[in-house]
Amino acid sequence: MDVLICTDKEQDRWHDALAGCLPEARLHVGVDAPPCDYAVLWKPPAAVFARQPRLQAMFSLGAGVNGLLAMPELPRDVPLVRMEDCGMAAQMVEYAYYVALRQFRRFRQFAAAQTEQRWAPRGFRPRAKFHIGVLGIGVLGGAVAQALAEFGFTVSGWSRSPKSLDGVHCTHGDNGLNTVLASSQLLLVFLPLTTATEGLLNRQRLSQLPAGACLANVSRGEVLDDEALLDALDRGHIEEAHLDVFRHEPLAAGHRYWSHPRVCITPHVAALTPYAIACIQVAEKIRRLQAGESITGIVDRARGY
Ligand code: NDP
Ligand code: OXD
């Protein structure tokens, strides 16, 4: 069995990690590899697909597959499989705890007061009085919603189809979105980028958040209307935005986000794909496919995730 590894960077590290998990395979690296049975991909050059006529399955090294699906060269009749958790849920929980505690314990306001040498204590509030909305409660958003609920915050989640998660008030559909937006002092975005989610957080929806709400987007930049967000930040309607993903990455020099006092930027690192865990998952799925068994994580191309 031949397996291709084609990524935009660190191909040799992926090769070594997969070699350890799938010793029975012949591994090939890069765009010029001979025809293979399986491909392991992240931001590959478009030319790679013309040389791969016999692929049985393609594995995305990320959870989000919008980039691969947007490539016209991507074979339409070969299943595309995405990463499922692979250690990313735990990292997303860390990120969400940081953002939630910063907002809940008002650390931003204390930092601002310090710059003015102002002693400004604030009163106690119980965790249950802090309402967090999570848009997208799949593998990653679902883990975050449950962790925050277990911590004692009041958490609502929104998905495309009806769901049930312990301790989380789960909603779906337009009414569900309206309810989540209206109650979220902190809104966390974990939606995949699809035709249905592109531009979802527009001016009107951002205005549905309570005044002084915070927002964190770790999904894809295109889910958010940047101008609408900047306007809401400037007006103080949104107090702070934590942005890990952007419409164009790296974020362009001089972009207003860089210098905005209420924007906290991280460079698409909310959750990184750990080599070892990801390769174990890919190897297990390849073995199941070889044995004629079913696997999870196959992308539904009609839904776009
Ligand atoms: P999943 O597919 O497991 O979950 C997606 C969730 O979004 C599901 O709950 C799904 O609903 C919901 N959803 C999708 N479309 C809609 C819609 N139109 N309306 C309402 N809800 C919708 O994905 P993951 O949790 O694994 O990953 C989520 C995203 O996180 C990825 O697509 C990627 O963009 C991003 N990501 C970012 C990283 C970073 O470092 N910044 C790292 C990894 C991922 P349903 O449950 O009904 O299907
Ligand atoms: C992913 C990502 O989708 O890194 O895994 O954004």
Side-chain angles (χ1 to χ4, degrees):
M1 170 213 340
D2 294 278
V3 179
L4 164 70
I5 298 159
C6 193
T7 65
D8 61 333
K9 56 180 193 273
E10 296 173 329
Q11 293 190 125
D12 292 340
R13 287 192 71 180
W14 284 112
H15 170 277
D16 294 349
L18 192 58
C21 305
L22 200 61
E24 66 270 38
R26 285 179 297 276
L27 301 186
H28 307 271
V29 173
V31 65
D32 295 323
C36 292
D37 304 289
Y38 301 98
V40 179
L41 306 167
W42 186 249
K43 299 184 181 172
V48 72
F49 298 110
R51 296 169 197 266
Q52 296 299 330
R54 65 161 216 244
L55 288 177
Q56 294 173 46
M58 303 176 287
F59 293 85
S60 160
L61 284 175
V65 289
N66 55 291
L68 280 167
L69 290 180
M71 297 179 79
E73 300 81 2
L74 187 80
R76 295 292 132 186
D77 49 352
V78 180
L80 175 62
V81 187
R82 68 188 200 86
M83 284 292 137
E84 295 178 286
D85 184 355
C86 281
M88 287 189 277
Q91 296 172 66
M92 288 299 194
V93 169
E94 292 163 358
Y95 182 102
Y97 274 146
Y98 166 74
V99 172
L101 288 173
R102 177 174 161 87
Q103 164 80 347
F104 172 62
R105 293 300 306 268
R106 302 185 169 105
F107 289 123
R108 200 188 74 76
Q109 288 91 330
F110 294 132
Q114 184 179 346
T115 63
E116 299 162 13
Q117 300 191 18
R118 190 160 46 83
W119 186 261
R122 304 285 293 258
F124 168 79
R125 60 175 163 174
R127 287 181 193 162
K129 291 269 183 205
F130 189 64
H131 290 249
I132 301 178
V134 182
L135 303 186
I137 44 173
V139 173
L140 303 178
V144 165
Q146 283 192 292
L148 293 170
E150 275 163 26
F151 195 65
F153 295 128
T154 296
V155 182
S156 303
W158 185 65
S159 53
R160 197 180 54 89
S161 54
K163 293 196 82 160
S164 153
L165 292 177
D166 280 351
V168 179
H169 176 62
C170 295
T171 65
H172 64 282
D174 288 347
N175 287 344
L177 180 58
N178 292 337
T179 311
V180 173
L181 291 176
S183 64
S184 295
Q185 291 158 288
L186 170 63
L187 187 72
L188 303 172
V189 187
F190 286 91
L191 294 165
L193 175 61
T194 67
T195 49
T197 63
E198 182 167 8
L200 183 88
L201 292 175
N202 56 21
R203 201 168 291 275
Q204 183 253 323
R205 291 206 177 90
L206 291 177
S207 74
Q208 289 176 254
L209 290 166
C214 281
L215 175 149
N217 184 20
V218 298
S219 67
R220 289 291 183 261
E222 292 90 335
V223 171
L224 195 59
D225 177 336
D226 294 320
E227 285 310 311
L229 175 62
L230 283 163
D231 187 44
L233 286 161
D234 289 342
R235 287 185 290 109
H237 181 68
I238 291 184
E239 185 177 289
E240 188 168 81
H242 292 258
L243 303 176
D244 185 59
V245 289
F246 302 89
R247 192 169 291 267
H248 302 291
E249 295 182 2
L251 184 64
H255 193 288
R256 274 193 68 204
Y257 281 149
W258 282 118
S259 54
H260 200 290
R262 291 167 186 268
V263 173
C264 303
I265 291 176
T266 44
H268 202 140
V269 292
L272 303 174
T273 312
Y275 297 92
I277 308 176
C279 288
I280 290 170
Q281 186 170 104
V282 169
E284 280 174 4
K285 288 187 180 183
I286 288 179
R287 285 200 191 99
R288 287 184 67 87
L289 291 173
Q290 287 290 96
E293 294 169 12
S294 62
I295 59 167
T296 59
I298 296 180
V299 172
D300 179 334
R301 299 209 185 189
R303 288 188 326 193
Y305 69 99

